[in-house]
Amino acid sequence: MTDDELDIDDCQTEFGIPHSILAHAGDYRIVELHYKCASSEQEAHLDLHLSRGSEVRRLRFLRPQQLVIEEGFPEPTHGMMIIDASGDGLDGLGVRVIDIEASHGAITFWAKDVIDLDVSDSG
């Protein structure tokens, strides 16, 4: 099992189940953030490029809502967690991004879904 693969029995936290797209998001730092407003061609989305050493992950969060960028950004904590909220019964919201360290510079929001731009054709 790789570092980002989840064993469902080991992944439940007090905050929810980490999303399988990036189980250990807190190990990464945000190196790029891009918000795109909805248009006739595309729904609103938020792209986060995250790095850990030489590895870069590019994630797109579809229809982000309740976006909060705390004072202190761009030096956020390394407590980011991407939660799979698809089983929570929230209409149109399947992903929650939180900061479990609760210190300055955090980015938090809800989204419809998240896709990996490096394996998806929808970029």
Side-chain angles (χ1 to χ4, degrees):
M1 181 175 353
T2 68
D3 197 34
D4 284 327
E5 289 179 313
L6 294 175
D7 178 347
I8 197 69
D9 296 326
D10 296 331
C11 66
Q12 180 69 42
T13 72
E14 65 184 284
F15 307 103
I17 298 172
H19 198 287
S20 61
I21 200 161
L22 191 61
H24 301 283
D27 294 342
Y28 293 76
R29 66 184 189 90
I30 298 170
V31 294
E32 187 172 332
L33 177 147
H34 179 81
Y35 181 83
K36 175 77 173 171
C37 293
S39 68
S40 59
E41 296 87 32
Q42 207 171 34
E43 65 186 337
H45 61 269
L46 175 71
D47 291 348
L48 288 181
H49 295 198
L50 308 166
S51 75
R52 177 176 71 179
S54 62
E55 178 186 8
V56 175
R57 298 290 304 270
R58 298 178 322 126
L59 304 179
R60 173 165 291 168
F61 296 87
L62 305 174
R63 285 195 311 188
Q65 297 179 30
Q66 300 178 11
L67 173 64
V68 175
I69 302 175
E70 292 183 352
E71 184 177 349
F73 188 80
E75 296 299 327
T77 65
H78 291 283
M80 180 172 41
M81 186 175 216
I82 303 169
I83 301 293
D84 182 345
S86 60
D88 291 351
L90 301 170
D91 189 30
L93 298 174
V95 177
R96 183 176 178 207
V97 176
I98 62 172
D99 184 288
I100 60 173
E101 290 184 359
S103 53
H104 299 293
I107 294 177
T108 60
F109 59 92
W110 290 86
K112 171 185 161 188
D113 201 2
V114 59
I115 57 174
D116 187 331
L117 292 176
D118 295 316
V119 296
S120 176
D121 295 329
S122 62

